[in-house]
Amino acid sequence: MHAHITLLPGDGIGPEVVAQGRLLLEAIAARYGHSFSMEEALIGGCAINASGDPLPAATIAACLRADAVLLGAVGGPQWSDPNAPVRPEQGLLTLRATLGVFANLRPVKPHPVGAKQSPIKAHLLKNVDLIFVRELTGGSYFGAKQKTAEMATDECRYTVTEIERVTRRAAELARARRGKLTHVDKANVMETSRLWRSTVTRLMREEYPEVRVEHLLVDAMAMYLLTRPADFDVILTENLFGDILTDEAAVLAGSMGLLPSASLGTGKVGLFEPIHGSAPDIAGKGIANPYATMLSVAMLLRHSFGLEVEANAVEAAVSQALDDGVLTRDLRKRASVSTAEAGSAVIARLPQRQRRAA
Ligand code: IPM
Ligand code: MN
């Protein structure tokens, strides 16, 4: 197939890990007979430096003409003054809204190497294979905001339509996996949560009666995620709860450097990014772990292009590189593997030339 991919390296370690993502896409194209054209655009702090705008119009245009977008990370201490008129994160939030990517998929399936690195006891991590579906374009992130010297508000607002469309995404995943959906809310306190709970309950009964549904309160879930993570399959939740719980879930995987994400809507363009941040403390040193970005490329191949064989090959190659001890510093204290070496190790572990018939 032919596809056009826009790369948004962003700030900090973003450019280093996205460079490995690009090499991986080129390797997949060569081995499987695809043609991927690519272009790069600015987002976040680097875009503020260049133009004062964290999401310049040229970047939006580059994303809208792409078939998929691969993003590194945004932000850094240089731009984190709370009183600054613009922040790098606004670029990412506006991009999510512009692309309409309301469903953020964040799978967590600890690899043994990561599990060893996790502070959670090994027996609790056995059989952990879960995926978050975080609502990404609503809630308090996008509600009306106000700030005076004396008060501030972030309105949390959800419509039935917003809840339904992301619930369908989660339900489809649950049906293709182990048939269990855990919906997380704060229905004992929040009106939005009560709307979520009744909407999820009704839609699942009407459209997905074969999927088992449970509702858990977010404070309890924060605990269960660490005390019985193997019990969960698909976890559906609103934007802010999902932001918090997915960082917590990264503890299960042992490193933020191993977790990919896919943000999907009903439009054709998906947005793919590692869940880690820009890691300014190690930026520019060539030691950042590129695996989360490479796994995000696998999600891109699967969800945007339907290339399941290629996606599986990338995931297997990353897993094999980890098995073989190709480890960056976040995965083993005295490890000395560079970003580029880890990237090459994955590419070297892809199956050799498997050209498909045209
Ligand atoms: C994430 C990040 C973003 C979020 C920030 C950078 C705006 O933490 O993707 O989880 O809060 O959604
Ligand atoms: Mn986050």
Side-chain angles (χ1 to χ4, degrees), residues 96 104 106 134 141 239-240 242-244 246-247 256 275:
R96 289 172 177 170
N104 181 225
R106 297 186 168 184
R134 166 189 173 193
Y141 273 61
N239 203 345
L240 181 59
D243 179 49
I244 298 165
T246 53
D247 265 31
M256 295 279 273
I275 83 154

Side-chain angles (χ1 to χ4, degrees), residues 228-282:
R228 52 180 186 88
D231 287 355
F232 302 106
D233 182 8
V234 178
I235 302 168
L236 168 66
T237 192
E238 64 105 70
N239 203 345
L240 181 59
F241 298 160
D243 179 49
I244 298 165
L245 291 175
T246 53
D247 265 31
E248 188 187 349
V251 173
L252 304 170
S255 166
M256 295 279 273
L258 291 174
L259 295 184
S261 82
S263 302
L264 309 170
T266 43
K268 73 163 188 161
V269 193
L271 172 63
F272 301 85
E273 50 176 316
I275 83 154
H276 61 67
S278 60
D281 51 322
I282 59 163

Side-chain angles (χ1 to χ4, degrees), residues 122-183:
H123 75 274
L124 294 173
L125 294 177
K126 244 182 80 188
N127 302 322
V128 171
D129 178 3
L130 56 85
I131 182 165
F132 275 89
V133 179
R134 166 189 173 193
E135 200 290 329
L136 201 60
T137 53
S140 50
Y141 273 61
F142 291 93
K145 291 179 186 289
Q146 268 188 70
K147 189 168 187 284
T148 71
E150 301 304 322
M151 60 79 81
T153 63
D154 299 274
E155 186 189 28
C156 184
R157 181 174 187 279
Y158 271 109
T159 66
V160 168
T161 309
E162 285 174 317
I163 299 167
E164 284 179 345
R165 64 187 183 179
V166 71
T167 301
R168 286 196 182 94
R169 272 281 180 181
E172 297 292 336
L173 277 170
R175 193 156 66 179
R177 291 169 51 101
R178 301 195 301 281
K180 181 177 174 190
L181 180 73
T182 301
H183 166 242

Side-chain angles (χ1 to χ4, degrees), residues 49-304:
N49 289 357
S51 69
D53 183 349
L55 187 68
T59 298
I60 296 180
C63 292
L64 290 174
R65 69 175 162 256
D67 298 302
V69 178
L70 180 67
L71 183 135
V74 297
Q78 218 192 313
W79 307 282
S80 44
D81 173 3
N83 296 315
V86 284
R87 297 178 55 96
E89 291 80 2
Q90 283 164 5
L92 179 55
L93 296 176
T94 308
L95 180 63
R96 289 172 177 170
T98 305
L99 296 178
V101 287
F102 56 80
N104 181 225
L105 279 47
R106 297 186 168 184
V108 180
K109 186 177 177 183
H111 184 280
V113 164
K116 251 180 78 183
Q117 206 43 43
S118 172
I120 306 301
K121 290 194 174 72
H123 75 274
L124 294 173
L125 294 177
K126 244 182 80 188
N127 302 322
V128 171
D129 178 3
L130 56 85
I131 182 165
F132 275 89
V133 179
R134 166 189 173 193
E135 200 290 329
L136 201 60
T137 53
S140 50
Y141 273 61
F142 291 93
K145 291 179 186 289
Q146 268 188 70
K147 189 168 187 284
T148 71
E150 301 304 322
M151 60 79 81
T153 63
D154 299 274
E155 186 189 28
C156 184
R157 181 174 187 279
Y158 271 109
T159 66
V160 168
T161 309
E162 285 174 317
I163 299 167
E164 284 179 345
R165 64 187 183 179
V166 71
T167 301
R168 286 196 182 94
R169 272 281 180 181
E172 297 292 336
L173 277 170
R175 193 156 66 179
R177 291 169 51 101
R178 301 195 301 281
K180 181 177 174 190
L181 180 73
T182 301
H183 166 242
V184 178
D185 64 25
K186 187 70 185 172
N188 52 347
V189 177
M190 314 271 286
E191 283 302 342
T192 41
S193 284
R194 289 191 273 272
L195 185 68
W196 268 83
R197 199 172 273 219
S198 61
T199 305
V200 170
T201 302
R202 175 187 46 74
L203 184 139
M204 294 303 293
R205 191 181 52 229
E206 287 173 4
E207 299 181 23
Y208 303 89
E210 69 278 36
V211 175
R212 277 175 299 136
V213 181
E214 68 176 348
H215 303 274
L216 293 177
L217 296 174
V218 63
D219 49 350
M221 184 62 184
M223 201 170 56
Y224 300 149
L225 200 51
L226 300 182
T227 54
R228 52 180 186 88
D231 287 355
F232 302 106
D233 182 8
V234 178
I235 302 168
L236 168 66
T237 192
E238 64 105 70
N239 203 345
L240 181 59
F241 298 160
D243 179 49
I244 298 165
L245 291 175
T246 53
D247 265 31
E248 188 187 349
V251 173
L252 304 170
S255 166
M256 295 279 273
L258 291 174
L259 295 184
S261 82
S263 302
L264 309 170
T266 43
K268 73 163 188 161
V269 193
L271 172 63
F272 301 85
E273 50 176 316
I275 83 154
H276 61 67
S278 60
D281 51 322
I282 59 163
K285 297 186 177 163
I287 58 173
N289 178 347
Y291 292 149
T293 301
M294 301 180 99
L295 292 169
S296 300
V297 166
M299 293 190 89
L300 181 158
L301 295 169
R302 173 177 297 124
H303 293 286
S304 275

